[in-house]
Amino acid sequence: MLFNSFSYGIFLPLVFIIYWCLPHRFRWVLLLLSSYYFYMSWNPKYVVLILGTTVVSYAAALLLERASSVRKKKWILAGTVVICLGVLFVFKYLEFLLNSFVSFANMFTLKLHPVALGLMLPVGISFYTFQTMSYVIDVYRGNVKAEHHFGYYAAFVSFFPQLVAGPIERSSNLLPQISSRKTFDYEQAADGMRLMLWGFFKKIVVADTLAVYVDNVYGNISGYSGFAFVLATFFFTIQIYCDFSGYSNIAIGSAKLFGVNLMTNFASPYFSKSIKEFWSRWHISLSTWFKDYVYIPLGGNRCSKLRNSFNLIVTFLVSGIWHGADWTYVIWGGIHGIAQVIEKAAGRPLKKLKSKKAGVFISWLFVFVFCNFAWVFFRASNIHDALYVIGGMFSGLTSPVAYLKGGFGQLYISLSRLVYLAGMLIILGIIDFISYRTDMLKAVRNRKPALRWVMYVALAVVVVLFSSKGAAAEFVYFQF
Amino acid sequence: MKKFVIKFIAAVCIVCVLVVALNAVYVHMDISDDNDTDKFKNVPDNIVLCNLGSSHGQYGLCYDNYSGLSAFNFSLMAQSPDYDYRILQNYQDNISDGAVVLMTVSYFSFYGIPEEQESGFEDKNNRYYSVLRPKYIKDYSLLSHISEGMFPVLSAYENIPKVLLGKSVNTNVARWNRVVESGELEQDVNDTYYRHIVLYRYDDDGNRILNETNLDAIYSIIELCRNLGATPILITTPYLKEYTDKIKEDTPDFYGDFYAVMDKLVADTGVEYYDYAFDERFVYDKSLYMNCDHLNRNGALKFTDVIMEEVVGDRIAR
C-alpha cells in the first residue's frame, strides 16, 4: 500500500478515527494490526521475516537485561546481529556477492554462469533491520531498558508510517510514544496534515514529473548526449530528494495524526555549504545511525587524522552498500567519504572562504554540483553507464548554444514546459530555503487563517490534479 | 478532534468543488480532441452506415457529403479489432436493422502480440473511458474511469494552463487536412513499413505472430452484425504505391500470408471483402494522402464516394 494510493487515502482516516475512539489500552493493538495489514498488502509471505526479526530482537533484549557477565552479553549481541543481518544479507546481498565472485572468477578464464536466486527484496527490510539492531545495541550499552511488553515492541518495529522507508527510529524516541497515554492534540494533527500535503506535492507533482525525463535518459543512455545528461542528472538530484523527503514528510505527518513525533529526516540538504553539513541534513535518521553504530565505534574523530579518514571512508562505504547491492552504490558512498576527508583536510582555507559572501555561494555551488556528480553513480544501472553519462555530459560543449538547445530538444522540453518545470522548482526552492532558515511549520501556523487556507487549498488542488499521474509511482527508497 | 475532523471534511469539500468546477471549464475550453473521441458524444440513433477499424478507417472514410444519412465513423487510431468488437457491442442499440457495417482491415489487424502487452497500451486504453461502458473496457479501473472518463482535467497535467489560456488546438483535424510531401515520403514509407510489417509480424525470435484475439474479434464482429440484421463488409483502404512496393520488395511473402488469412476469413464466414490497397484511382495521387498509408480529408471524401457507389450501393435507403 503506497502512501500515494487510493487505498492509503481510505486506510489512514479509518485507522485514525478508530484509534482515537479506542481506550488507551487497546490502541497498541490497533497500531499493530493495522501496521501488519499495511505491510502484508505488499506481500503477505514476508510478514514472517518482520515477525521473526521482532521476536529475535525482543528476546535478545530481555536476555541482555538478565545476562550477568559482559562476555555473555557480547555473545547475545553478536548472535542477534548475525541473525538480523543474516536475513538482510541473504535477501539483499547474497546474489550480488555470488555474482561478484563469478565475475572475478571469470577474469581468470573460469567460465562460471551468473547466479539468479530469484529472491524478491522484502520491502522495508533494511529499515526495520536497522531499527531493531539499534534497539538491541542500545540495550546492550545500557542506554535504554528492554521493553517487556511484546505488543508495544512489535508495534514499535512495525509502526506503519515509518515501516517501509523510515525514518529509522530509535527506541528511546518511539517506544515511549507508543506505550504512553495520549490525548488528541489538534495542533499536532494539523501539523501532520500540513506535512503530508507538502510531502504529496513533492512526491506527486515534482518527483513523479521529473522521473519521466530521468527514466528516459538513464534507461537508454546511448540515445542521449551532452546537455541531456546534465539535465537528467540535475532532475534526478531533485527527484530523489522530493521522492524521499516527500515520503518522509508523509510518514512524519501520518505519525503525528496518532500523536507520535518521528524524527526529522531531511532539513533542506541542498542548501548545505559543506559535504559534512549535507550529511547532517540528508536522511538524518540513517546518517545518525551510522554515526552512532559504525563511525563512533570505529573510533570516530578521537584518533589520528589517518585513522579518522579511514573511519569516515569505511562508514560511507557501508552507507553506500546499505542502499543497494551494487558497486555503483559503493562508489557513491566512497565518493562522499573521500570528499569529507578532503573537506576536513582543507578545513582552514574553507573556513576562510566561507567568511565572505561570495565564498558562501561558491561553497554552496560546489556542494550542489558535487552531489549531482555523485548521484550519477547512484542512478546509473552500472559503473560503465555512469562513466558514459559523465563523459557524455561534455560532448558538444564547444558550441554552447547548440549544446543547450540539443539537451532540451532531446528531452522534448519546449519553452512552455520549461516555464512549467521552472515554476515547480522555484516553489520548491523557496519553501526549502525558508525551511533552511526557520521552522516552516511555525511560519505557516503564524499566518492569517484565510491566507493559510488559500495556500492549503491551492496546494491540495494541484496535488489532486497530478494525483492520477503519480498513483502508480513507487517511492525510490522502497527498493532499499 | 471533532473540530479537526470537521475542518478536514470542509477542506476536502472545497477542494472537490474547485476540481469539479475546473473540470467543467477545462472540458468546455478543450478543443484539442487528440484521440478523436469527442465524436462519441453524438453517436446517432438508427445508424444505417458505419465503419469500424483503426486510423485507416478513421481517416479514410468521411460521411460529410451524406448529411441526410445516419452514418458514423467508429474508427480510432491504432484501434484493435478486439476493441472494434467491444465498440460494436456497446453501440449495438444504435445500429438499424439492415445497416451496413464496414470493417476496415489493415495489414497489422491480425498480426502481432496482444495489445495489452504493447508499450503505451495504458495510454491508448484510457481513451475508451469516455467512449465505452465499463464492462467493455479492458483492465477497467474505477480510478482511471474517474480521471479519464469523468474528470479529464485529472489527466491533463501540464495541458491545463494551455487549455485555460485558450491555446488548445485541434491537432487531429490539422493532421487530416495536410498533404504528404514528396521529400518526406521515403522516410515515412520506411517508418511505416517498420511499424506495420516488421514490428507487428515477428517476435524476438523472428517468428511470425498471428494475433488470435484480433482474428477471433473479426469473426465475432461479423456474427454480431448479422445478429443485428446488419451487413458486415470488410475493406482495405488505399495506400500509396511507394508503400505497397516497399512491402513487396522487402517482405515478398507478406501478401501471400495476408491474403491467405483473408481468403480463409471470407470462406469461413461468407463475408464480402473489397481490397482498394492497389486501386489505381488512388495509389499514384499523393494529393489524396496525409502520409503513405492514410488518406487525407480530400482523399477520404473521394474514397467514401467510391465506397458508396461500389460497395454500399442500394443496400441502404438514401
Side-chain angles (χ1 to χ4, degrees):
Chain A
M1 191 190 302
L2 296 168
F3 282 167
N4 49 335
S5 68
F6 189 67
S7 331
Y8 192 70
I10 304 286
F11 171 82
L12 182 65
L14 207 66
V15 179
F16 167 75
I17 288 171
I18 301 172
Y19 181 82
W20 289 111
C21 290
L22 280 176
H24 165 71
R25 63 180 186 279
F26 297 126
R27 285 180 183 164
W28 69 266
V29 181
L30 176 73
L31 280 186
L32 186 62
L33 290 177
S34 53
S35 296
Y36 269 73
Y37 173 79
F38 179 83
Y39 191 72
M40 285 163 74
S41 66
W42 267 284
N43 192 336
K45 275 190 291 186
Y46 289 140
V47 78
V48 177
L49 293 178
I50 189 169
L51 190 61
T53 307
T54 305
V55 169
V56 167
S57 53
Y58 169 79
L62 291 180
L63 288 174
L64 278 170
E65 201 177 53
R66 285 174 203 162
S68 47
S69 69
V70 176
R71 193 183 148 87
K72 211 171 178 181
K73 281 186 176 184
K74 278 187 176 170
W75 274 108
I76 295 167
L77 177 68
T80 314
V81 170
V82 166
I83 293 170
C84 292
L85 281 185
V87 173
L88 182 65
F89 176 80
V90 168
F91 280 91
K92 193 165 177 177
Y93 302 107
L94 184 59
E95 189 173 310
F96 164 69
L97 202 77
L98 290 172
N99 282 325
S100 295
F101 174 74
V102 167
S103 303
F104 183 73
N106 287 347
M107 283 165 65
F108 298 96
T109 65
L110 281 171
K111 290 200 173 153
L112 299 176
H113 292 291
V115 182
L117 297 175
L119 289 174
M120 219 170 69
L121 186 66
V123 71
I125 191 169
S126 307
F127 292 88
Y128 67 70
T129 301
F130 269 43
Q131 189 156 308
T132 50
M133 270 172 53
S134 76
Y135 165 71
V136 177
I137 296 169
D138 283 350
V139 172
Y140 168 80
R141 286 175 178 173
N143 295 341
V144 294
K145 287 185 174 173
E147 175 59 60
H148 287 242
H149 192 296
F150 181 74
Y152 290 159
Y153 181 70
F156 153 73
V157 176
S158 62
F159 185 48
F160 73 84
Q162 47 89 243
L163 172 59
V164 288
I168 303 167
E169 278 298 332
R170 305 301 169 79
S171 56
S172 55
N173 179 44
L174 185 53
L175 250 171
Q177 294 192 74
I178 285 178
S179 55
S180 67
R181 185 177 292 275
K182 286 187 288 280
T183 50
F184 182 77
D185 180 342
Y186 176 86
E187 269 312 322
Q188 190 184 26
D191 275 351
M193 292 304 294
R194 290 178 191 117
L195 276 173
M196 286 174 72
L197 185 58
W198 182 233
F200 279 122
F201 177 83
K202 285 201 276 192
K203 165 65 181 164
I204 293 172
V205 181
V206 185
D208 291 346
T209 301
L210 297 179
V212 176
Y213 300 104
V214 177
D215 292 348
N216 283 347
V217 174
Y218 275 89
N220 174 28
I221 56 167
S222 57
Y224 296 88
S225 63
F227 193 58
F229 286 139
V230 177
L231 275 176
T233 304
F234 169 67
F235 286 167
F236 180 67
T237 301
I238 306 298
Q239 182 210 339
I240 191 157
Y241 167 62
C242 287
D243 194 284
F244 195 22
S245 70
Y247 166 84
S248 296
N249 285 150
I250 301 167
I252 296 167
S254 301
K256 278 185 188 294
L257 294 178
F258 300 94
V260 171
N261 288 313
L262 298 179
M263 70 185 292
T264 304
N265 217 13
F266 287 85
S268 308
Y270 289 143
F271 285 101
S272 305
K273 290 160 201 86
S274 68
I275 309 294
K276 189 181 173 190
E277 187 189 355
F278 174 80
W279 279 103
S280 68
R281 294 176 172 277
W282 179 275
H283 202 175
I284 298 165
S285 64
L286 182 72
S287 309
T288 50
W289 198 101
F290 278 115
K291 187 180 144 203
D292 292 348
Y293 303 108
V294 179
Y295 179 68
I296 291 175
L298 280 172
N301 58 5
R302 292 183 178 175
C303 50
S304 69
K305 279 185 177 173
L306 194 68
R307 175 68 200 203
N308 179 227
S309 302
F310 172 80
N311 295 344
L312 268 173
I313 290 172
V314 168
T315 305
F316 276 92
L317 286 174
V318 176
S319 169
I321 197 78
W322 176 89
H323 281 85
D326 207 314
W327 291 110
T328 49
Y329 295 112
V330 178
I331 291 176
W332 172 77
I335 289 171
H336 273 279
I338 291 167
Q340 285 224 45
V341 169
I342 295 170
E343 199 174 71
K344 227 171 186 183
R348 263 192 203 163
L350 277 179
K351 214 172 182 181
K352 211 174 163 186
L353 180 75
K354 282 183 205 167
S355 63
K356 292 168 190 164
K357 270 192 173 176
V360 171
F361 176 75
I362 292 169
S363 303
W364 166 78
L365 189 65
F366 175 80
V367 172
F368 186 70
V369 172
F370 170 80
C371 288
N372 274 267
F373 166 75
W375 284 129
V376 173
F377 288 93
F378 195 92
R379 178 60 183 83
S381 308
N382 51 56
I383 298 170
H384 175 266
D385 281 9
L387 296 175
Y388 184 89
V389 168
I390 292 166
M393 284 179 180
F394 301 98
S395 97
L397 250 179
T398 44
S399 320
V401 178
Y403 175 75
L404 295 175
K405 264 187 162 177
F408 288 116
Q410 288 176 60
L411 266 63
Y412 297 103
I413 299 177
S414 59
L415 188 64
S416 60
R417 189 161 283 198
L418 186 64
V419 170
Y420 159 79
L421 290 173
M424 205 168 69
L425 295 180
I426 286 168
I427 293 172
L428 176 75
I430 290 171
I431 303 285
D432 247 33
F433 188 66
I434 296 171
S435 306
Y436 182 74
R437 305 188 76 138
T438 180
D439 180 354
M440 189 64 199
L441 283 174
K442 203 174 163 188
V444 172
R445 256 186 260 129
N446 290 341
R447 297 281 151 203
K448 286 183 179 167
L451 182 67
R452 264 187 343 216
W453 273 78
V454 168
M455 279 161 48
Y456 301 153
V457 169
L459 209 57
V461 167
V462 173
V463 168
V464 170
L465 292 179
F466 277 77
S467 56
S468 64
K469 193 178 206 172
E474 273 212 357
F475 289 85
V476 175
Y477 260 69
F478 278 20
Q479 63 186 298
F480 306 134
Chain B
M1 180 165 164
K2 200 173 160 188
K3 184 178 151 196
F4 177 80
V5 173
I6 290 169
K7 279 193 170 184
F8 175 73
I9 293 171
V12 170
C13 291
I14 294 170
V15 171
C16 288
V17 168
L18 284 174
V19 170
V20 170
L22 192 64
N23 183 66
V25 176
Y26 178 82
V27 170
H28 180 70
M29 294 184 72
D30 181 25
I31 56 159
S32 58
D33 193 22
D34 284 343
N35 292 322
D36 196 22
T37 48
D38 283 357
K39 62 188 180 187
F40 286 88
K41 289 173 188 165
N42 301 305
V43 179
D45 292 328
N46 304 318
I47 292 172
V48 293
L49 175 64
C50 65
N51 66 277
L52 301 162
S54 65
S55 54
H56 294 135
Q58 180 190 3
Y59 296 119
L61 289 158
C62 176
Y63 307 112
D64 287 359
N65 289 345
Y66 300 88
S67 52
L69 206 66
S70 184
F72 195 77
N73 188 331
F74 285 109
S75 298
L76 288 175
M77 201 178 286
Q79 183 157 279
S80 64
D82 192 19
Y83 255 118
D84 284 319
Y85 180 49
R86 288 161 189 265
I87 282 185
L88 189 63
Q89 285 176 297
N90 190 89
Y91 291 100
Q92 56 182 295
D93 292 342
N94 297 58
I95 311 283
S96 298
D97 190 18
V100 170
V101 178
L102 305 171
M103 168 76 202
T104 58
V105 182
S106 308
Y107 293 156
F108 52 79
S109 291
F110 34 68
Y111 289 116
I113 55 174
E115 64 176 341
E116 290 89 333
Q117 292 169 22
E118 289 172 12
S119 63
F121 167 71
E122 202 181 324
D123 283 342
K124 196 172 90 170
N125 197 44
N126 283 340
R127 65 188 178 189
Y128 293 106
Y129 283 94
S130 61
V131 171
L132 297 174
R133 291 199 288 278
K135 66 175 178 176
Y136 295 119
I137 296 170
K138 294 184 181 180
D139 301 339
Y140 176 82
S141 97
L142 181 63
L143 282 181
S144 298
H145 195 168
I146 292 169
S147 65
E148 302 289 339
M150 295 160 75
F151 299 100
V153 74
L154 294 178
S155 52
Y157 315 121
E158 51 258 53
N159 280 336
I160 298 171
K162 200 163 85 179
V163 170
L164 296 184
L165 291 169
K167 291 185 175 172
S168 139
V169 180
N170 190 324
T171 48
N172 204 36
V173 169
R175 197 185 302 131
W176 199 22
N177 281 329
R178 75 185 294 272
V179 176
V180 66
E181 289 172 21
S182 301
E184 67 187 84
L185 196 56
E186 189 182 344
Q187 182 67 42
D188 182 46
V189 165
N190 287 335
D191 290 348
T192 309
Y193 168 75
Y194 180 77
R195 271 200 326 272
H196 290 175
I197 309 300
V198 179
L199 205 62
Y200 276 94
R201 284 194 70 205
Y202 303 101
D203 61 18
D204 293 342
D205 301 323
N207 302 314
R208 288 177 187 137
I209 305 170
L210 195 62
N211 187 322
E212 298 287 352
T213 309
N214 283 343
L215 194 56
D216 288 347
I218 298 177
Y219 280 92
S220 302
I221 289 168
I222 293 166
E223 193 184 341
L224 179 58
C225 284
R226 288 175 175 157
N227 291 342
L228 293 171
T231 309
I233 298 171
L234 307 183
I235 55 170
T236 298
T237 58
Y239 303 128
L240 271 179
K241 191 170 184 305
E242 285 85 344
Y243 175 54
T244 48
D245 281 353
K246 169 83 177 170
I247 298 172
K248 281 180 195 164
E249 280 165 28
D250 289 13
T251 313
D253 61 340
F254 176 79
Y255 282 113
D257 277 2
F258 178 78
Y259 288 116
V261 178
M262 287 309 300
D263 288 346
K264 185 169 184 317
L265 196 57
V266 170
D268 288 348
T269 61
V271 71
E272 293 174 55
Y273 172 54
Y274 295 86
D275 184 10
Y276 288 93
F278 304 96
D279 191 305
E280 298 211 335
R281 290 169 290 182
F282 292 93
V283 298
Y284 299 108
D285 189 354
K286 295 185 182 67
S287 71
L288 299 175
Y289 290 84
M290 59 193 236
N291 55 33
C292 69
D293 65 324
H294 290 98
L295 294 165
N296 59 24
R297 191 177 146 76
N298 282 339
L301 289 170
K302 183 178 173 181
F303 180 58
T304 308
D305 285 342
V306 170
I307 291 290
M308 293 302 279
E309 187 63 32
E310 297 174 6
V311 178
V312 178
D314 52 8
R315 286 187 230 236
I316 56 171
R318 278 189 257 175

